[in-house]
Amino acid sequence: MRYVRSLIIVLPLSVFGLACEGDDPVDCRTDGANCSVREAAVQAGVQVGAAFREVSATDDPKYLPALIANFNSVTHEHAMKWAATQPQYGVFNFDEPDRMIELAEANGMAVRGHTLVWEQATVDATPEYVTAITNPEELRTLMANHIRTVVGHFRGRVDAWDVVNEPLDTLGSEVYQNIFYQLMGPGYIAEAFELAHEADPDATLFLNEALVSDDGDKFDALLALTADLLVQGVPIHGVGLQGHFLTEAPNHDELLANLQKLAALGVVVELTEVDIIVRGPGDDAARLERQRQEFFDMASACLAVEACKRITFWGFTDRHTWIDSFFGPDLAPLPLDENYERKPAYFGLRDGLLSGP
Ligand code: XIL
């Protein structure tokens, strides 16, 4: 709490170069050099977001000013997952996300909630007391209480929720047989959306999936699942494509086509967890230039689709990224470098945000 309050008092918005009352806003289309990605996003009518880590904000004085100057949306990287919000059966804790939301509200940033239901073998987002359940009615009651309590707590302050994260097999295209599926059947997805909608009728509710930016069976399965939920009358309003471009670079045309196919169903679409690692041959300059083009390709695909309203990065500075611990060092997947300087990727992103109609 302390760091949030002191930051708000000590650093008014104008310090970050944001448009304040009385300031002349920068016109990004004519004054590109002075324009931040946040200003570009505002002019384009979209949001640009980042995953947030409280420990980085507390330990690193450069973190919050850079976040606030460049982004108008935040998503907590872990503190709104089940293991954090209900760490023990029936015991809830919202301290950390509450502090992030206070920061977001004081600085004109939207909040994306991530995530209500996600059980996956390789991460510990769901506690063992959930995966140990064997009685379907017990799990149904627990899931209902979790969603009602969490969404109810944040009602009106979180504009969008990833209701179900990664519903499909990571490397396949079947519905993933997590504990909810095993005990409640495939209908657990619809039930989760109904519960979230009752708890906050104004929130935009998302399915969020990984490895679906390119053409392929997994994307087709996601499209079919979304269409099926809509036909059933389930209150699903959006689909998130995670966008961890680790093994392949963004393919502009395939990403654009996928966004268009989802938009044609009548849902909003977002790129929800973007990181694009540096890759390919050449020296550092060549690799960073390639990454600039890839950021542009990704952002311009979103901006070409009316229903694509937000791009969220999974972090924002190469100093603090999950990629380092999960996939190795020096993959530099984010728009600001380790010293919070703008990388070529930053400018690729900004140009992509300004490329819309
Ligand atoms: C990751 C976080 O970045 C890590 O810090 C954490 O330990 C594991 O989860 N897909 C998701 C995110 O939906 O929640 C994951 O975040 C990254 C992959």
Side-chain angles (χ1 to χ4, degrees):
M1 185 70 81
R2 189 171 43 78
Y3 79 86
V4 173
R5 287 203 192 288
S6 60
L7 188 91
I8 294 163
I9 293 161
V10 175
L11 300 175
L13 281 182
S14 54
V15 168
F16 306 118
L18 301 178
C20 292
E21 224 176 309
D23 285 352
D24 288 332
V26 173
D27 183 343
C28 293
R29 290 175 205 268
T30 55
D31 191 7
N34 290 316
C35 164
S36 69
V37 292
R38 179 170 176 161
E39 287 166 322
V42 170
Q43 287 190 23
V46 298
Q47 289 171 332
V48 61
F52 173 83
R53 280 184 187 172
E54 186 175 277
V55 65
S56 308
T58 313
D59 293 351
D60 183 348
K62 288 182 167 178
Y63 183 93
L64 279 177
L67 173 73
I68 295 165
N70 287 299
F71 298 90
N72 59 1
S73 175
V74 274
T75 304
H76 207 295
E77 191 171 336
H78 61 86
M80 290 165 91
K81 294 171 184 171
W82 189 315
T85 51
Q86 191 181 176
Q88 292 163 281
Y89 209 124
V91 179
F92 291 86
N93 184 338
F94 302 118
D95 293 351
E96 199 169 326
D98 282 348
R99 288 193 288 268
M100 182 191 75
I101 291 174
E102 196 175 329
L103 172 83
E105 289 173 348
N107 290 288
M109 304 163 99
V111 178
R112 240 192 145 264
H114 173 82
T115 174
L116 298 171
V117 179
W118 180 28
E119 198 263 298
Q120 218 254 24
T122 55
V123 290
D124 55 2
T126 303
E128 273 179 32
Y129 72 77
V130 180
T131 52
I133 292 175
T134 54
N135 178 329
E137 281 319 304
E138 184 187 0
L139 185 61
R140 176 168 278 116
T141 303
L142 182 67
M143 185 181 91
N145 189 44
H146 183 78
I147 293 175
R148 285 192 188 115
T149 306
V150 175
V151 178
H153 177 85
F154 296 112
R155 180 174 175 156
R157 303 179 80 191
V158 167
D159 73 284
W161 274 106
D162 288 332
V163 176
V164 178
N165 194 34
E166 301 183 356
L168 303 175
D169 286 334
T170 305
L171 298 176
S173 45
E174 302 297 321
V175 175
Y176 179 59
Q177 299 198 4
N178 60 22
I179 188 70
F180 301 94
Y181 181 102
Q182 287 169 33
L183 296 192
M184 296 163 63
Y188 89 86
I189 298 175
E191 285 183 48
F193 276 87
E194 299 285 0
L195 288 157
H197 187 56
E198 276 167 30
D200 187 351
D202 295 326
T204 308
L205 303 182
F206 281 77
L207 264 187
N208 193 45
E209 189 50 274
L211 304 173
V212 279
S213 303
D214 289 344
D215 201 8
D217 291 347
K218 188 168 181 184
F219 176 76
D220 291 344
L222 179 66
L223 190 67
L225 175 60
T226 307
D228 184 47
L229 292 167
L230 288 165
V231 165
Q232 290 176 52
V234 173
I236 171 173
H237 313 119
V239 174
L241 309 186
Q242 287 188 7
H244 298 293
F245 293 99
L246 306 177
T247 53
E248 281 181 306
N251 179 315
H252 174 274
D253 294 352
E254 289 185 27
L255 178 57
L256 175 63
N258 288 1
L259 292 169
Q260 286 170 330
K261 284 180 198 169
L262 286 165
L265 296 179
V267 292
V268 297
V269 286
E270 294 190 9
L271 301 174
T272 53
E273 299 177 21
V274 178
D275 23 47
I276 308 177
I277 65 168
V278 285
R279 74 188 85 228
D283 58 13
D284 281 354
R287 286 155 63 82
L288 289 171
E289 167 55 22
R290 190 174 297 114
Q291 190 187 42
R292 184 196 64 75
Q293 181 67 45
E294 292 172 0
F295 270 65
F296 177 83
D297 289 347
M298 176 276 302
S300 61
C302 173
L303 267 288
V305 179
E306 174 65 27
C308 190
K309 289 295 185 201
R310 174 158 45 191
I311 302 173
T312 298
F313 293 86
W314 211 236
F316 61 97
T317 161
D318 292 338
R319 187 182 283 270
H320 303 285
T321 160
W322 76 301
I323 297 291
D324 276 352
S325 42
F326 278 73
F327 302 98
D330 303 327
L331 295 172
L334 292 164
L336 298 180
D337 73 11
E338 293 203 351
N339 297 315
Y340 296 87
E341 297 296 331
R342 298 173 174 187
K343 293 162 64 182
Y346 182 95
F347 299 106
L349 168 64
R350 196 178 64 188
D351 293 346
L353 290 170
L354 295 173
S355 70

